[in-house]
Amino acid sequence: MPTIRDIARKSGYSVSTVSRVLNHQKYVSEPAKTAIEAVIKQLDYVPNSLARDLSFGQNKNIGVVLPHNDHPYFNQLLNGIMDAAFSSGYHVVLLPSEYNQAVELDYLEQLKRKNFTALIFTSHGIALSVLAEYTRYGQIVCCEDPGTHHISAVYSHREPAYLAAFKYLKAHKAQQIGLLLSRNLAQSPTWIAVTNAYQQVFNCQPDSELMVGGMRSFEDGYHAAEQLIEKQPTLACYFTNGDDIAAGVRQYHLDHQLPTPLLIGQEKQLSSFLLQLPTIDHHFFTLGQKAFEVALSNHHQVCRFESEFILP
């Protein structure tokens, strides 16, 4: 790939003169400009736009760190970010992480090197304290309650909706409840919020034998129901982290001539409407729009959206 020095060497003009032509600056004679442009065309030279933007302090890349995108939480959040970015003049760069701390640290180092104007962490494996350290290099937005950490955040306040959902299940005489969630890690804010709400309503910790993590799809819900029914054949109630996952659970029960279970979904997907399932709307599309807006700002902000428990 030709460089600016190759153009200077072939045209016979200095690097600074070539640079002025590339950047459409004044003080270049017409003969010099004509000769340099002819060499640029001959070499098929394409300027390094990133380097040029950095030299003018005009980087327009917003990095969005995604552990994965095969769950409605990330899809809805990303759709909101893209919607807000469409007319902004900024580029959205998707940064897959799979919760790998080393990968996420590399993205933070790229922020430090000014490869990004800002980073939006839709979720993360790295500690919030580490994210806070890197805010000196650019705006960082996390999509959870940052607590005492000085990080800009846009997040859903889920606890009241979780409490309402478990109270609904209790009112329907639910005795044993299968909990199907995305991550079964102690540091997962969602896992903590769900188990805390369960304890407040039922005055006990959920049965660890009836908790399954890694739920992302209809198929995951189907296989989780199979796994749980093997442990507890009379299980007839599930709290899931997605409407499609709840639909998978329901289908397993139907396929095996089991009673239709009592189900709670999340994310207000089409499946909850079609199957008339209770669901929880976390307003992730709107949250994504706001996260992008905060990413473009130069000051610390924390914005909270209230989740809603919705009955059919």
Side-chain angles (χ1 to χ4, degrees), residues 81-95:
I81 291 171
M82 297 297 290
D83 181 79
F86 182 74
S87 60
S88 70
Y90 281 77
H91 308 117
V92 173
V93 182
L94 303 185
L95 305 173

Side-chain angles (χ1 to χ4, degrees), residues 225-241:
E226 179 181 26
Q227 174 186 338
L228 292 177
I229 287 297
E230 286 181 2
K231 296 179 180 179
Q232 182 52 258
T234 61
L235 185 63
C237 179
Y238 300 80
F239 177 96
T240 75
N241 68 322

Side-chain angles (χ1 to χ4, degrees), residues 21-42:
V21 172
L22 289 171
N23 291 303
H24 307 289
Q25 295 177 350
K26 299 178 180 180
Y27 312 114
V28 180
S29 67
E30 281 302 318
K33 181 180 178 182
T34 301
I36 291 170
E37 287 178 342
V39 173
I40 290 171
K41 183 176 181 180
Q42 180 184 354

Side-chain angles (χ1 to χ4, degrees), residues 3 6 9-10 16 22 57 65 69 76 86 98 119 121 130 142 146 158 198 204 206 236 257-258 266-267 294 301:
T3 68
D6 295 328
R9 189 180 305 112
K10 192 169 183 65
S16 60
L22 289 171
V65 181
N69 68 344
Q76 293 176 20
F86 182 74
E98 288 293 338
L119 291 177
F121 277 82
V130 177
C142 68
R158 308 184 187 194
Y198 183 101
C204 65
Q257 292 76 51
L258 296 170
Q266 292 189 62
E267 319 311 354
V294 173
Q301 296 184 60

Side-chain angles (χ1 to χ4, degrees), residues 73 143-144 154-159 282-284 287 303-307:
Y73 164 69
C143 295
E144 67 177 81
V154 180
Y155 67 96
S156 57
H157 183 218
R158 308 184 187 194
E159 287 81 353
H282 299 292
H283 306 290
F284 288 137
L287 194 150
C303 305
R304 188 174 87 172
F305 290 80
E306 296 295 329
S307 299

Side-chain angles (χ1 to χ4, degrees), residues 164-236:
F166 284 123
K167 288 177 182 177
Y168 170 85
L169 295 179
K170 186 176 182 178
H172 283 73
K173 310 301 182 184
Q175 298 295 319
Q176 296 174 310
I177 303 173
L179 297 183
L180 279 56
L181 302 174
S182 180
R183 284 199 292 167
N184 56 346
L185 304 175
Q187 63 266 36
S188 166
T190 301
W191 189 268
I192 293 170
V194 168
T195 54
N196 284 346
Y198 183 101
Q199 185 173 21
Q200 288 184 58
V201 173
F202 292 100
N203 298 313
C204 65
Q205 285 289 333
D207 185 347
S208 60
E209 290 295 309
L210 300 180
M211 302 170 74
V212 183
M215 297 291 101
R216 301 181 182 182
S217 66
F218 175 95
E219 291 76 16
D220 290 336
Y222 192 97
H223 294 308
E226 179 181 26
Q227 174 186 338
L228 292 177
I229 287 297
E230 286 181 2
K231 296 179 180 179
Q232 182 52 258
T234 61
L235 185 63

Side-chain angles (χ1 to χ4, degrees), residues 3 15 17 42 53 65 68 80 95 111 170 242 256 274-275 284:
T3 68
V15 170
T17 301
Q42 180 184 354
D53 288 346
V65 181
H68 55 81
L95 305 173
L111 177 70
K170 186 176 182 178
H256 293 81
L274 295 176
L275 298 175
F284 288 137

